[in-house]
Short mmCIF file of all heavy atoms in Angstrom, two decimals:
data_model
loop_
_atom_site.label_atom_id
_atom_site.label_comp_id
_atom_site.label_asym_id
_atom_site.label_seq_id
_atom_site.Cartn_x
_atom_site.Cartn_y
_atom_site.Cartn_z
N PRO Y 25 -77.30 -27.42 28.86
CA PRO Y 25 -78.47 -26.53 29.03
C PRO Y 25 -79.69 -27.21 29.64
O PRO Y 25 -80.59 -26.50 30.12
CB PRO Y 25 -78.75 -26.06 27.59
CG PRO Y 25 -77.45 -26.17 26.88
CD PRO Y 25 -76.81 -27.39 27.46
N ALA Y 44 -78.61 -23.06 23.43
CA ALA Y 44 -78.03 -22.09 24.37
C ALA Y 44 -78.54 -22.35 25.79
O ALA Y 44 -79.57 -22.95 26.01
CB ALA Y 44 -78.38 -20.69 23.92
N PHE Y 45 -77.79 -21.83 26.76
CA PHE Y 45 -78.20 -21.84 28.17
C PHE Y 45 -79.15 -20.69 28.42
O PHE Y 45 -79.20 -19.70 27.68
CB PHE Y 45 -76.98 -21.69 29.06
CG PHE Y 45 -76.09 -22.90 29.13
CD1 PHE Y 45 -75.20 -23.16 28.11
CD2 PHE Y 45 -76.12 -23.74 30.22
CE1 PHE Y 45 -74.35 -24.26 28.17
CE2 PHE Y 45 -75.28 -24.85 30.30
CZ PHE Y 45 -74.38 -25.12 29.27
N ASP Y 46 -79.92 -20.80 29.49
CA ASP Y 46 -80.74 -19.68 29.94
C ASP Y 46 -79.89 -18.59 30.58
O ASP Y 46 -80.24 -17.42 30.54
CB ASP Y 46 -81.80 -20.16 30.95
CG ASP Y 46 -82.85 -21.06 30.31
OD1 ASP Y 46 -83.07 -20.89 29.09
OD2 ASP Y 46 -83.43 -21.89 31.03
N ASP Y 47 -78.77 -18.98 31.15
CA ASP Y 47 -77.86 -18.04 31.81
C ASP Y 47 -77.09 -17.24 30.75
O ASP Y 47 -76.41 -17.83 29.91
CB ASP Y 47 -76.88 -18.82 32.69
CG ASP Y 47 -76.04 -17.92 33.58
OD1 ASP Y 47 -75.78 -16.77 33.22
OD2 ASP Y 47 -75.63 -18.41 34.66
N PRO Y 48 -77.15 -15.90 30.78
CA PRO Y 48 -76.44 -15.10 29.77
C PRO Y 48 -74.93 -15.21 29.86
O PRO Y 48 -74.23 -14.88 28.90
CB PRO Y 48 -76.90 -13.67 30.09
CG PRO Y 48 -77.35 -13.71 31.52
CD PRO Y 48 -77.92 -15.09 31.73
N HIS Y 49 -74.41 -15.69 30.98
CA HIS Y 49 -72.97 -15.83 31.14
C HIS Y 49 -72.47 -17.14 30.51
O HIS Y 49 -71.26 -17.38 30.45
CB HIS Y 49 -72.58 -15.83 32.61
CG HIS Y 49 -72.90 -14.53 33.31
ND1 HIS Y 49 -72.27 -13.34 33.03
CD2 HIS Y 49 -73.86 -14.26 34.26
CE1 HIS Y 49 -72.79 -12.40 33.79
NE2 HIS Y 49 -73.73 -12.91 34.55
N LEU Y 50 -73.41 -17.99 30.06
CA LEU Y 50 -73.04 -19.27 29.48
C LEU Y 50 -73.56 -19.34 28.04
O LEU Y 50 -74.74 -19.65 27.81
CB LEU Y 50 -73.62 -20.41 30.31
CG LEU Y 50 -73.15 -20.50 31.77
CD1 LEU Y 50 -73.93 -21.58 32.50
CD2 LEU Y 50 -71.66 -20.75 31.85
N PRO Y 51 -72.73 -19.04 27.08
CA PRO Y 51 -73.17 -19.05 25.69
C PRO Y 51 -73.38 -20.45 25.17
O PRO Y 51 -72.99 -21.46 25.79
CB PRO Y 51 -72.02 -18.36 24.96
CG PRO Y 51 -70.82 -18.65 25.80
CD PRO Y 51 -71.31 -18.67 27.23
N LYS Y 52 -74.00 -20.53 24.02
CA LYS Y 52 -74.14 -21.79 23.32
C LYS Y 52 -72.76 -22.42 23.09
O LYS Y 52 -71.83 -21.74 22.70
CB LYS Y 52 -74.84 -21.59 21.98
CG LYS Y 52 -75.00 -22.85 21.14
CD LYS Y 52 -75.68 -22.51 19.82
CE LYS Y 52 -75.80 -23.75 18.94
NZ LYS Y 52 -76.45 -23.44 17.64
N ALA Y 54 -71.00 -23.83 25.55
CA ALA Y 54 -70.21 -23.81 26.80
C ALA Y 54 -70.19 -25.21 27.40
O ALA Y 54 -71.20 -25.92 27.39
CB ALA Y 54 -70.78 -22.83 27.79
N SER Y 95 -66.13 -20.03 29.65
CA SER Y 95 -66.41 -18.60 29.55
C SER Y 95 -66.08 -17.85 30.83
O SER Y 95 -66.80 -16.97 31.25
CB SER Y 95 -67.89 -18.41 29.19
OG SER Y 95 -68.73 -19.00 30.17
N VAL Y 97 -66.32 -18.75 33.81
CA VAL Y 97 -67.29 -19.01 34.87
C VAL Y 97 -67.19 -20.47 35.27
O VAL Y 97 -67.35 -21.35 34.44
CB VAL Y 97 -68.74 -18.68 34.39
CG1 VAL Y 97 -69.74 -19.04 35.50
CG2 VAL Y 97 -68.87 -17.23 34.00
N PHE Y 99 -68.94 -23.42 37.02
CA PHE Y 99 -70.31 -23.76 37.43
C PHE Y 99 -70.49 -25.27 37.46
O PHE Y 99 -69.66 -26.01 36.97
CB PHE Y 99 -71.33 -23.11 36.48
CG PHE Y 99 -71.35 -23.68 35.09
CD1 PHE Y 99 -72.35 -24.59 34.71
CD2 PHE Y 99 -70.41 -23.32 34.14
CE1 PHE Y 99 -72.39 -25.11 33.43
CE2 PHE Y 99 -70.44 -23.86 32.87
CZ PHE Y 99 -71.42 -24.75 32.51
#
Side-chain angles (χ1 to χ4, degrees):
F45 288 78
D46 292 334
D47 190 331
H49 298 292
L50 298 174
K52 178 181 177 180
S95 58
V97 177
F99 69 101

